[in-house]
Amino acid sequence: MSKNLSKIGAVFFVAITIILLLVYGNPNAPPIIEDGKLKLVADKDIKNSNINFFKNNDKILIFDPFRMQIKYKGEFKRIFEYASNITLFNGNDSKKVEVEGNKIIITYFNDQKDPSEIRIIFDMNNNSLTYKIEGNFSNLTKFEQIIYGYSFGSLNYKEFITPSDDVIKNEGNESYTWQAGIQIPKTSKNEQLMISNETMLNVSGNFTSIWNSLRYQMSWPYVNPNETITIKVQEPVKINLTKTGLSLRIGENLNAPLIEFYNESKKILIFDPFRMQIKYEGEFKRIFGYASNITLFNGNDSKKVEVEGNKMIITYFNDQKDPSEIRIIFDLNNNSLTYKIEGNFSNLTKFEQIIYGYSFGSLNYKEFITPSDDVIKNEGNESYTWQAGIQIPKTSKNEQLMISNETMLNVSGNFNKIWNAPMYQVSYLYVNPNETLTIKVQEPIKINLTQNYPLTVSTSSTISDGIHIYKNGTQILSLSPWEAIFKHDGRTQNLLNTKKYDENYPNKLIFNYNNSEKITKISEIKQNNKTIGYEMNVSWINESMDVQEVGFNIKIYENKSYAEIKYIYRTKNAYVNLDPLFYGISFDKNKFKYVKVVRDSEITGNIKRNPVENEKKGYLNFAGCEQGKACDKIIADQWFIDKGDKTPEKAVEINGNFSRIEHYFTYNLVRFYMNDFKEPLRIYAE
C-alpha cells in the first residue's frame, strides 16, 4: 500500500512540475523568442550580455550592449560591460530579462544613476526583428541620440548596400560612413542591405548616419531618440543596381557643414566652407565656421541648402553683413563636378579673388601633377606653390591631376596660383571672381611625363613680382627687384618699390611702381636648329629717364639642373653711370637648415668646413679677401636640408666669381657680390 502511495505521489509531483513548467516556464532556461525559422536568444546571467540572432539555427547577427550607445547630456555612453568603468552600467548594477510573447526586454538598472534604467527591446514578427532602446532619464530633453550597434564577424556577409546604393565589399580594413541628409543625385531610401550566400538582411530606420567598419566587423546605425530599427530577414535575391556614379552629400545640420564627394561608395574629396576664402576689400576671409569669429558667417547667421536637379546650392546669409550672402554652388554632370562661389556685395568692384579649398586627407592620393608637369608626392611636411603667369619652359595647361590607385581627378580652371599642402592634406586654388572650378573624375591611367627641364622659372605681369625658380614644383629661391641694388651716379639705389617709398626717400629707387613698365620676353635657345633651352628677360623700363632699363636675364637648358642669371641694364647715354652692387636672393630658412661657403682652399683640402647652422636671427659674412688674411677665393654657396640623424643633404649650390657673400637669416636673404658682373650667377638644384 505504501509503495503504491509513493508511486502515486511521484506521478503527482511530476505532473505538477510539468504543469508549472508549461504555465510559468523553466526559470533556468535562456530567454528565447521564435518566429518560423528565426530565433533570438538572450541570457539572464549579468556576465553574459550578448544577444544572438539565428536563422535555421545558424547565427546571422550578434547584439552586444557594449556596442550600443546613447548620447545623453552631450556625451556618448556605451550601455553595458560587466567589468567596465566607462559604460552606463556594469557588474555592480542589476539586470533582468523578460519575455512577453514575441518580445524580449533586457533591462539594466540602478536607482542611484542617471539614467536609472536602460531597456533594450526586441520584437519579432513576420520575419522581422524590431530593435529599440529606451530609458528613464532625469532630463529627457538631454537624451539626444541612439547608436544601434551589431556585429557580423565571421558570419559570411559578402557585401552591404547603403541607402545611397553604394556597394561595400566586406573585405579589407576600411570603414565607410553613410550620412543622411541632402544629396545629388537625390535619394529617399532609408534601408541598408547585408548580403551573404544564405541570407539577406534589410535593415531600415530613420538613420542620421551609418558607420560600417570592416576592420571591426561592426555596423553602427545612428538615429534620433524614440526611433527604432527593423531588421527584415529574406532569402538572398539578385540585386540589380544602377551604379550611382558620382554623388555629393551634405548633412542636414549645416552647423557641421562638410560636403563630401563620392565616386560610388568611395569618398574622393571633402569640401569645407572654412577652407574656402574670398578676398574682399583687400582682406582674405574664410566663409563659414560655426563657432568662429574670423569667418564671414558663423552659427549666429542663417543657412540653407537647396537642390535643383543635379545642382546643390549652399547659402549663408545675414542682411546686416557685407557681403550679405555667399552661395557655394555645385553642379554634377557627365562625370564632372563644377564648383562656384558667388555672393551679394555692397561694392562688387572690391571682390578681388576666390580661394577654392578642398581636403584629401586619408583618401589615398599618391601624387599630384601641376599645370607645369611638376610631380608632387603626397608625403612629408612640405608645401608646394604653383604660380600661374609667364614661365620657362612654356606651358599652356590649366589643370592639376590628383592620382590614387582607384581614381584620377582632373581639376581645371583659370588658376592664378595653386597651393598643395601634404602636411595639412589640403589644396587651395586661387582664381579671379566669377571663375569656376571643374573636377573631372576618371579611371587612373599611366601618365608619361617628359621632364626635359628639371628647373622652371616664372614671373607674372604684376609689376612688383620678381623671379621664382622651382625644382619639381618646389620653389627653391626667388629674386626680388627690391634686392637688386645698383650704384647710380654715386648713389646706392634699389631697383623698385612703391611710389610712396620713392616720395619719402628721394633718390633711393631707380623706378617705382607708377613710373615704370614691366616687360617680359621669352625666346628659345637653339643649336643646329634644335631648341636646347629657353631664355627669359624680365625688365623694368622707362625710356624717358636717365636709367632706361634694369632687369634680369635667366637661361635654363634641356636636361640641365641649373639656371644662369645675369643683370641687364641700359642708360640714356654713356654719361650716366650705373653698376650692380650685388644680387639679392630670398630663400626659405626653414627648408634649408644649413649653409656652407666653399672656398678655393677647400678644393686642395687645406680647410675642412662644417655646415653652419642657420639661426632664426643672425648674420654671416664671408669675403674672398679678409683683412689680415691671405685671399681665399669663394667658389660656391651651398644650401642643405636637415635630414635628422643623417648627414645634411645638399639641395642647392650657387656658383659665381664672388668677392663677398652675406647671409641675413632674419630676412631669409643672401647677397652675392661679384668680382665681374659680366659673368653669370649659376644656380644648381641637386
Side-chain angles (χ1 to χ4, degrees):
M1 181 71 178
S2 60
K3 287 183 179 181
N4 290 335
L5 287 173
S6 296
K7 288 180 181 179
I8 292 168
V11 170
F12 180 75
F13 176 77
V14 170
I16 292 297
T17 302
I18 291 170
I19 291 167
L20 288 172
L21 288 173
L22 289 172
V23 174
Y24 296 104
N26 182 357
N28 297 315
I32 296 173
I33 54 174
E34 296 185 73
D35 179 47
K37 299 176 181 179
L38 305 182
K39 178 170 64 176
L40 190 75
V41 180
D43 198 312
K44 292 180 180 179
D45 188 343
I46 196 168
K47 293 180 181 178
N48 301 323
S49 57
N50 280 1
I51 305 108
N52 297 311
F53 190 23
F54 295 86
K55 174 190 171 187
N56 293 331
N57 292 319
D58 291 324
K59 196 180 294 182
I60 57 174
L61 276 186
I62 303 164
F63 303 96
D64 177 0
F66 184 74
R67 306 292 186 181
M68 307 171 193
Q69 298 182 54
I70 63 165
K71 188 177 183 184
Y72 181 52
K73 294 182 176 179
E75 284 188 86
F76 280 106
K77 285 287 188 178
R78 299 177 184 273
I79 291 178
F80 175 84
E81 174 69 34
Y82 183 77
S84 175
N85 60 0
I86 64 167
T87 50
L88 289 169
F89 300 96
N90 57 34
N92 296 318
D93 303 306
S94 299
K95 172 187 177 182
K96 66 179 177 181
V97 181
E98 302 166 279
V99 176
E100 298 176 1
N102 278 347
K103 189 181 290 185
I104 286 181
I105 305 166
I106 301 157
T107 306
Y108 296 96
F109 56 100
N110 183 333
D111 289 342
Q112 305 305 309
K113 291 187 171 183
D114 183 24
S116 59
E117 184 174 300
I118 289 290
R119 296 177 295 280
I120 306 164
I121 304 168
F122 295 96
D123 195 350
M124 189 183 293
N125 274 299
N126 300 320
N127 291 319
S128 294
L129 182 72
T130 60
Y131 173 18
K132 184 178 183 181
I133 294 174
E134 61 184 25
N136 296 351
F137 301 88
S138 66
N139 188 342
L140 191 57
T141 61
K142 296 294 181 72
F143 177 27
E144 301 168 58
Q145 201 168 35
I146 302 170
I147 305 178
Y148 287 110
Y150 51 80
S151 170
F152 48 82
S154 304
L155 301 181
N156 301 322
Y157 289 98
K158 299 182 298 180
E159 60 189 19
F160 312 98
I161 301 173
T162 73
S164 295
D165 284 345
D166 302 323
V167 179
I168 301 170
K169 297 291 184 184
N170 186 15
E171 54 193 36
N173 290 320
E174 295 286 340
S175 294
Y176 299 87
T177 299
W178 175 85
Q179 185 74 46
I182 301 161
Q183 173 178 318
I184 52 173
K186 283 186 176 181
T187 182
S188 58
K189 290 184 180 179
N190 62 353
E191 62 187 34
Q192 172 166 288
L193 302 181
M194 302 175 62
I195 301 168
S196 73
N197 288 330
E198 300 80 26
T199 302
M200 183 168 77
L201 303 184
N202 182 319
V203 185
S204 61
N206 289 323
F207 308 124
T208 56
S209 64
I210 303 172
W211 189 51
N212 295 299
S213 173
L214 309 184
R215 180 179 181 181
Y216 300 110
Q217 293 286 284
M218 291 287 305
S219 287
W220 283 277
Y222 290 63
V223 301
N224 292 323
N226 301 318
E227 294 286 348
T228 62
I229 67 171
T230 299
I231 303 169
K232 185 175 182 180
V233 182
Q234 305 172 225
E235 295 302 314
V237 296
K238 186 174 181 180
I239 306 293
N240 293 314
L241 292 176
T242 302
K243 283 195 173 183
T244 54
L246 303 181
S247 62
L248 194 72
R249 306 170 190 178
I250 184 172
E252 292 177 346
N253 177 11
L254 288 184
N255 295 333
L258 293 185
I259 306 118
E260 297 177 330
F261 188 26
Y262 283 80
N263 184 12
E264 297 182 9
S265 62
K266 184 76 174 177
K267 192 186 301 180
I268 55 176
L269 274 186
I270 302 164
F271 303 97
D272 180 355
F274 188 76
R275 304 283 188 189
M276 307 170 192
Q277 298 181 53
I278 63 166
K279 188 178 183 183
Y280 181 55
E281 295 184 331
E283 283 189 86
F284 280 106
K285 284 287 189 179
R286 299 177 184 273
I287 290 178
F288 176 83
Y290 179 73
S292 175
N293 59 1
I294 64 168
T295 50
L296 289 168
F297 300 95
N298 57 35
N300 297 318
D301 302 307
S302 299
K303 305 161 282 289
K304 65 180 179 180
V305 179
E306 301 165 280
V307 172
E308 300 173 1
N310 274 353
K311 186 181 289 185
M312 180 186 289
I313 305 165
I314 302 158
T315 306
Y316 299 95
F317 55 101
N318 183 333
D319 289 341
Q320 305 305 309
K321 291 187 170 183
D322 183 24
S324 59
E325 184 174 301
I326 290 290
R327 296 176 295 280
I328 306 164
I329 303 168
F330 295 97
D331 198 349
L332 194 58
N333 273 302
N334 299 323
N335 291 321
S336 294
L337 179 73
T338 59
Y339 172 19
K340 185 178 183 181
I341 294 173
E342 61 184 27
N344 296 351
F345 302 88
S346 65
N347 187 343
L348 192 57
T349 61
K350 295 292 182 73
F351 177 26
E352 302 168 58
Q353 201 168 36
I354 301 170
I355 304 178
Y356 288 110
Y358 53 73
S359 170
F360 47 83
S362 304
L363 301 181
N364 301 323
Y365 289 98
K366 300 182 298 180
E367 60 190 19
F368 313 101
I369 300 175
T370 73
S372 297
D373 284 345
D374 301 318
V375 179
I376 299 169
K377 297 293 183 184
N378 186 18
E379 56 191 33
N381 293 323
E382 295 287 341
S383 295
Y384 303 87
T385 300
W386 175 86
Q387 185 77 45
I390 305 156
Q391 174 185 310
I392 53 173
K394 291 181 179 179
T395 182
S396 58
K397 291 183 180 178
N398 63 351
E399 62 188 31
Q400 171 166 288
L401 302 181
M402 301 176 62
I403 301 169
S404 73
N405 288 331
E406 302 84 24
T407 305
M408 184 168 78
L409 303 185
N410 182 318
V411 185
S412 61
N414 289 322
F415 308 125
N416 300 322
K417 183 169 71 171
I418 302 173
W419 188 59
N420 295 300
M423 180 177 185
Y424 302 109
Q425 294 287 283
V426 295
S427 289
Y428 294 98
L429 305 106
Y430 293 65
V431 301
N432 293 327
N434 301 319
E435 294 287 346
T436 62
L437 210 66
T438 300
I439 302 168
K440 186 175 182 180
V441 182
Q442 305 171 224
E443 295 296 317
I445 58 174
K446 187 173 181 180
I447 307 294
N448 294 314
L449 297 175
T450 305
Q451 291 290 90
N452 290 338
Y453 290 88
L455 297 183
T456 56
V457 181
S458 73
T459 186
S460 71
S461 58
T462 303
I463 195 164
S464 60
D465 193 22
I467 291 94
H468 312 279
I469 299 180
Y470 297 83
K471 167 77 172 179
N472 291 337
T474 303
Q475 182 170 311
I476 55 174
L477 57 85
S478 61
L479 291 95
S480 165
W482 164 250
E483 276 296 326
I485 298 180
F486 287 73
K487 276 284 187 184
H488 173 208
D489 288 340
R491 299 185 300 269
T492 301
Q493 292 184 329
N494 298 70
L495 167 54
L496 190 72
N497 208 316
T498 63
K499 182 180 179 182
K500 184 176 181 181
Y501 184 93
D502 204 5
E503 292 169 348
N504 291 341
Y505 302 96
N507 296 318
K508 290 291 186 181
L509 297 179
I510 297 173
F511 301 125
N512 66 49
Y513 296 166
N514 296 77
N515 68 5
S516 61
E517 180 183 10
K518 183 180 179 183
I519 302 292
T520 302
K521 296 179 181 178
I522 294 174
S523 58
E524 297 177 351
I525 302 171
K526 289 187 176 288
Q527 187 178 72
N528 299 326
N529 292 321
K530 181 186 175 185
T531 299
I532 62 167
Y534 286 92
E535 182 173 9
M536 176 189 283
N537 286 348
V538 183
S539 297
W540 288 263
I541 295 174
N542 186 331
E543 298 291 350
S544 66
M545 296 176 68
D546 284 352
V547 177
Q548 296 178 326
E549 178 182 5
V550 178
F552 302 93
N553 170 269
I554 308 103
K555 294 177 181 177
I556 60 171
Y557 298 91
E558 187 175 18
N559 298 320
K560 303 291 185 185
S561 293
Y562 66 83
E564 292 179 339
I565 298 171
K566 289 174 67 175
Y567 277 128
I568 49 177
Y569 47 97
R570 178 167 53 87
T571 60
K572 187 175 183 178
N573 54 49
Y575 298 103
V576 179
N577 293 314
L578 186 70
D579 294 298
L581 280 182
F582 52 77
Y583 293 101
I585 292 181
S586 298
F587 71 103
D588 185 347
K589 67 186 177 189
N590 295 315
K591 183 180 297 175
F592 303 114
K593 290 284 189 181
Y594 302 94
V595 298
K596 179 179 178 181
V597 173
V598 182
R599 295 178 181 271
D600 185 48
S601 58
E602 288 193 65
I603 304 301
T604 62
N606 294 335
I607 298 175
K608 179 70 174 175
R609 283 184 180 269
N610 292 320
V612 182
E613 185 170 359
N614 283 7
E615 300 293 339
K616 288 185 178 178
K617 294 184 178 180
Y619 167 86
L620 287 176
N621 184 350
F622 301 93
C625 294
E626 297 177 346
Q627 189 173 359
K629 296 181 181 179
C631 290
D632 193 2
K633 183 180 177 183
I634 300 172
I635 303 295
D637 198 49
Q638 297 176 343
W639 302 352
F640 292 79
I641 296 172
D642 187 6
K643 302 298 285 186
D645 295 336
K646 299 179 182 177
T647 303
E649 178 185 295
K650 186 173 72 170
V652 176
E653 179 171 308
I654 301 176
N655 288 356
N657 185 3
F658 302 121
S659 62
R660 184 182 195 83
I661 298 176
E662 296 173 348
H663 291 83
Y664 296 86
F665 300 130
T666 306
Y667 305 108
N668 293 350
L669 177 68
V670 186
R671 287 176 171 172
F672 294 94
Y673 295 76
M674 307 285 285
N675 288 311
D676 185 354
F677 278 93
K678 292 179 182 178
E679 297 181 23
L681 193 70
R682 185 172 281 185
I683 297 168
Y684 291 85
E686 299 294 322

